[in-house]
Amino acid sequence: MSKVIFITGGSSGIGRSVGEFLIEKGYRVYGTSRNPDKVFESKFPLVAVDVRNAESIKAAIAHVVAEAGTIDVLVNNAGVGITGPIEEIPAAEIQNHFEVNLFGPIEVMKAVLPQMRKQKRGLIINITSIAGYMGLPYRGIYSASKGALELITEALSMEVKGFGITITSVAPGDFATNIAAGRYHAPVISGSPYEVPYGNTLKEMDTHVDTGSNPLQMAEAIYAIMKDPNPNVHYKVGAFMQKFSIVLKRVLPDKLYEKMLMNHYKL
Ligand SMILES: NC(=O)c1ccc[n+]([C@@H]2O[C@H](COP(=O)([O-])OP(=O)(O)OC[C@H]3O[C@@H](n4cnc5c(N)ncnc54)[C@H](OP(=O)(O)O)[C@@H]3O)[C@@H](O)[C@H]2O)c1
């Protein structure tokens, strides 16, 4: 029997790439999309889920379990970006961001855990971000949602280990996907005190994603984790300097690290 993989956000980018790779390896893959009918040529079935809607999550998981009998691996991947000066991002956009990137993934885990406890096995891979290891300028809300998911991963790992369930996080660096096109950008307001620095940083961020790594690298990393009988709690995948920035944060004094980041973003 092939293992059953459930990937939230399987319609594009990293989720789609992971699903296609695992299909090739012989796994049975289910993905999700808010609008499965609009997705062009998916190589695996897509179930309708908006992670802000707990009922849609429960229904999708019930559907997969009824059809495939089990869920062996959850790749908790659906997520969006958000940029802007914290002072200028509307509260409703911050709320919405946390619903998609943090509360949604928590609800997905809550919905799949009863099945995994029943099976006495399961693997949950939370897709976070290297940006979740540090507060990045004009990406503070995104850094916070992903950093929080890293901590939830650590806590939940200890809570469910005794049930035979493994929880891990994979933090990508910059990957060439649709994320920049789909993210909420607070407008660069003419005359705002943030107009010039935010405008410049935004251009820099979009270039990073457009010239980012191939999502296939994420698929290979996830496959390696699935094959590992005793995975780590955290993984980072991406260009050397992006991963090294986490090491630097650990070893450098705060003031020096902040200066380094500000130089990088030309602030
Ligand atoms: N690309 C990068 O450089 C990068 C870096 C670090 C972390 N990440 C993380 O990697 C994950 C995948 O992102 P990606 O780069 O592959 O972006 P993407 O190409 O834009 O894909 C995002 C996926 O999330 C789904 N999604 C968005 N909002 C949703 C919602 N409310 N409910 C359910 N599904 C939703 C989308 O599906 P539908 O639109 O079809 O519903 C889509 O399949 C995200 O968690 C992202 O934060 C990406």
Side-chain angles (χ1 to χ4, degrees):
M1 284 283 282
S2 3
K3 281 195 170 175
V4 178
I5 321 296
F6 182 65
I7 306 172
T8 61
S11 62
S12 81
I14 292 170
R16 186 174 176 123
S17 196
V18 172
E20 289 175 354
F21 185 88
L22 294 178
I23 285 271
E24 289 290 315
K25 295 284 175 197
Y27 291 90
R28 184 164 181 185
V29 176
Y30 288 85
T32 76
S33 166
R34 282 165 295 177
N35 301 295
D37 299 342
K38 293 193 184 147
V39 180
F40 183 66
E41 285 190 355
S42 178
K43 291 202 172 126
F44 46 89
L46 293 172
V47 191
V49 169
D50 186 325
V51 295
R52 293 167 295 187
N53 177 337
E55 291 311 312
S56 76
I57 296 170
K58 283 184 205 148
I61 286 168
H63 168 79
V64 174
V65 173
E67 205 171 89
T70 173
I71 294 180
D72 297 289
V73 181
L74 160 66
V75 182
N76 212 0
N77 161 78
V80 290
I82 185 167
T83 70
I86 289 170
E87 188 182 337
E88 291 180 354
I89 305 177
E93 293 296 344
I94 296 175
Q95 183 74 36
N96 179 62
H97 181 79
F98 273 88
E99 275 170 18
V100 179
N101 275 25
L102 181 63
F103 308 145
I106 293 173
E107 287 307 312
V108 177
M109 288 190 279
K110 282 165 61 182
V112 89
L113 278 170
Q115 176 63 27
M116 289 186 169
R117 278 191 294 99
K118 203 163 109 192
Q119 300 165 181
K120 299 189 173 59
R121 68 187 153 76
L123 171 65
I124 296 178
I125 302 174
N126 288 323
I127 306 302
T128 56
S129 173
I130 286 180
Y133 282 85
M134 63 213 61
L136 289 176
Y138 304 114
R139 283 212 281 172
I141 302 303
Y142 183 75
S143 287
S145 71
K146 293 297 190 178
L149 190 54
E150 288 284 350
L151 295 183
I152 294 281
T153 302
E154 283 178 13
L156 191 62
S157 168
M158 292 183 270
E159 292 175 11
V160 300
K161 211 178 271 290
F163 302 123
I165 302 167
T166 303
I167 318 273
T168 182
S169 71
V170 180
D174 289 320
F175 281 84
T177 67
N178 290 332
I179 195 159
R183 78 180 156 207
Y184 170 81
H185 297 86
V188 179
I189 300 169
S190 165
S192 150
Y194 300 104
E195 180 184 357
V196 174
Y198 171 47
N200 291 342
T201 310
L202 193 54
K203 274 186 222 142
E204 183 98 353
M205 287 187 288
D206 287 346
T207 320
H208 286 172
V209 170
D210 292 343
T211 58
S213 314
N214 185 336
L216 182 62
Q217 212 185 319
M218 280 293 289
E220 287 165 346
I222 284 171
Y223 179 59
I225 294 167
M226 284 167 49
K227 289 280 181 196
D228 190 332
N230 189 19
N232 294 328
V233 180
H234 301 298
Y235 292 88
K236 292 104 190 165
V237 180
F240 172 77
M241 269 320 286
Q242 291 165 9
K243 291 188 284 188
F244 193 57
S245 65
I246 299 174
V247 179
L248 287 177
K249 175 159 190 191
R250 238 180 261 143
V251 299
L252 290 180
D254 287 354
K255 279 185 187 154
L256 193 57
Y257 190 74
E258 183 180 79
K259 202 164 174 200
M260 191 194 81
L261 276 187
M262 290 185 76
N263 281 342
H264 178 75
Y265 286 103
K266 302 184 183 72
L267 295 174

